[in-house]
Amino acid sequence: MIKKITQSLFAVVCLMTFIGIGTASAEKLRVGMECTYAPFNFKNENGDLMGYDVDVARGVAGLIGADLEFVCQKWDGMIPALLANKFDLVVASMSITDKRLEKMDFSDTYRISVGRLVGKKSAGLKLFDSTDKPIPANFADLKVGVERASTYADWFKNELPKANVVLYDTNESLYLDLVNGRTDMIMTNPMKAHLRFLSKEDGAGFEFVSPQIDERKYFGIGVGIGLRKGNDELKARLNKAIKTLTDNGYLESYALKYFPFAIH
Amino acid sequence: MIFDLELILDSIPQMLMGLGLTLQLLFLSLALGTALAIILLLMRISGRWVLAAPAMAYIYIFRGTPILVQIFIIYYGLPQLELVRESILWPILREPFGCAIVALSLNTGAYVSEIFRGGVLGVDRGLKEAASALGLSARQRFIYITAPIAIRLSLPAYSNDVVSLMKSTALASTITLLDMTGIARTIVAETYAPYEVFLSLMVIYLVLTWMIQRSFGWIEKRMSRHVRSEI
């Protein structure tokens, strides 16, 4: 009798477990992001999560058939929280660096790290040739503002050592002096330049005067989806999904919601 | 922590490349500031209200606000006005060097004029009375009697101000100038080694201060020859 009950209980437990597995058959991935980093991941006035990172996360999840749960996490605790299994993926505009690669793994990039020059529309600057190589002679007599010790300063030091570079301490003073006419152009992150300057009233007379400059030596690899080490199978699926999103123009359409240009 | 001696030896010559700019800032703004100080002094002791009041207001404003704020107002604030960008002063104010010179001169002028006033007030009343008894005019009294004594009395405080002006030139690094401090900050931003670089920078400034103090010590001694010979 007792044996029978035990058997049937066992059967019930097995069944429940089976059903349990059945309902959770769609994989669940928890995604960490700051939720405050507009326009990449932020909450709109209704409290809904939006942004480029959010779109990428949803696009990837749709392709690999996973359910998403977003976890808001402050930046300085992002990697510890990933390692502590508070979430499975970091889709938070995190750049791939050697230092981070020691602790965690990254998918392929879904956003680039680049620099771009901004100058006056009316100046008619022609600084790059048809193969997007800078023409050093055309930089003569022009002042370029960059942030002190930034990747952009580095690029100028090595690629155009003769350029007249002025070093600034903040991004805002770059725009101020460009408007004031103390510099002829500035080099900075095109997304920042668009959001903080070109889309504003002060930036009306200015535009990008160079192609995107993305030499990996200076600007790094870009932004990828972070995950814990040892998840190579998941990583392969993420990479495949990112490739599909890139090839089918989804990444571009995500970017165009917030910027007038693609950012992958 | 390990002190990176190689970095120090490497960064000192780099920082010394900014010495020329630091000295230009110092001497040019010292000359302009001292000239301004004399004008302000004459306005204050003129005994005419219309001249003394603006001088007092000017001195109050420039001594009463931080020089860093003055630099920012001149560098970032003034170009916001269309008027300034189209004025004949724009070629000067467009350049960070010009802005730094203007700010440092205006600031040091206010301090130095007060130092000079202290010197003028310190001149013994009896000397002036003796001069007028000799029939010297007010102008002659000022040029031949008051001014030389006032200069000697002002020298110790003036040398102090030169040292503090020399230190203020470091603020020019906040408006993109690559003086010694500007170069040091760039090196620090690249190497993440603030101790080594800023400590070396301190040593360079201390040497400069020592040279300024020695020079003024020598001038003071020379100007007080008659006093010592009497003892």
Side-chain angles (χ1 to χ4, degrees), chain B:
Chain B
M1 94 171 237
I2 309 151
F3 225 62
D4 191 345
L5 199 68
E6 201 176 322
L7 178 66
I8 294 176
L9 294 176
D10 196 47
S11 60
I12 285 182
Q14 284 187 58
M15 287 188 281
L16 285 176
M17 305 240 286
L19 179 63
L21 185 57
T22 295
L23 293 180
Q24 278 177 37
L25 287 167
L26 171 62
F27 288 119
L28 204 55
S29 49
L30 185 65
L32 291 169
T34 304
L36 175 67
I38 293 168
I39 296 168
L40 287 169
L41 169 74
L42 294 175
M43 285 166 76
R44 274 212 71 174
I45 61 172
S46 66
R48 270 179 231 153
W49 182 83
V50 279
L51 290 175
M56 279 166 77
Y58 175 91
I59 291 166
Y60 177 65
I61 291 167
F62 277 85
R63 288 207 312 173
T65 51
I67 178 147
L68 185 62
V69 175
Q70 294 164 18
I71 288 178
F72 282 166
I73 287 180
I74 291 170
Y75 186 81
Y76 288 116
L78 288 184
Q80 301 288 307
L81 309 168
E82 193 86 7
L83 196 78
V84 174
R85 290 214 298 270
E86 279 160 12
S87 74
I88 47 161
L89 288 175
W90 183 236
I92 295 170
L93 293 174
R94 183 179 192 261
E95 298 303 320
F97 181 75
C99 289
I101 292 289
V102 169
L104 291 170
S105 306
L106 292 179
N107 185 272
T108 202
Y111 280 94
V112 171
S113 87
E114 282 299 276
I115 291 170
F116 286 169
R117 197 171 68 95
V120 169
L121 292 178
V123 177
D124 191 13
R125 178 186 277 272
L127 287 169
K128 293 184 207 166
E129 285 170 354
S132 38
L134 283 170
L136 295 182
S137 70
R139 173 182 297 218
Q140 286 170 321
R141 282 205 305 273
F142 185 79
I143 294 172
Y144 298 112
I145 310 295
T146 311
I149 298 170
I151 289 171
R152 202 177 67 226
L153 291 175
S154 312
L155 262 185
Y158 184 67
S159 77
N160 246 338
D161 196 74
V162 176
V163 170
S164 95
L165 177 63
M166 191 270 293
K167 292 181 290 180
S168 300
T169 59
L171 293 171
S173 70
T174 59
I175 52 169
T176 77
L177 284 177
L178 290 176
D179 69 325
M180 294 197 297
T181 305
I183 294 173
R185 290 174 63 196
T186 309
I187 300 174
V188 168
E190 283 164 357
T191 59
Y192 308 110
Y195 280 110
E196 285 91 339
V197 177
F198 285 141
L199 277 175
S200 322
L201 180 65
M202 261 177 77
V203 172
I204 301 176
Y205 277 115
L206 283 174
V207 172
L208 277 182
T209 303
W210 178 81
M211 282 160 65
I212 294 171
Q213 283 174 343
R214 284 304 296 258
S215 315
F216 275 97
W218 181 80
I219 298 171
E220 272 171 46
K221 236 185 195 166
R222 222 187 122 68
M223 288 188 78
S224 317
R225 277 169 304 180
H226 60 288
V227 182
R228 254 185 316 130
S229 57
E230 277 169 13
I231 296 166

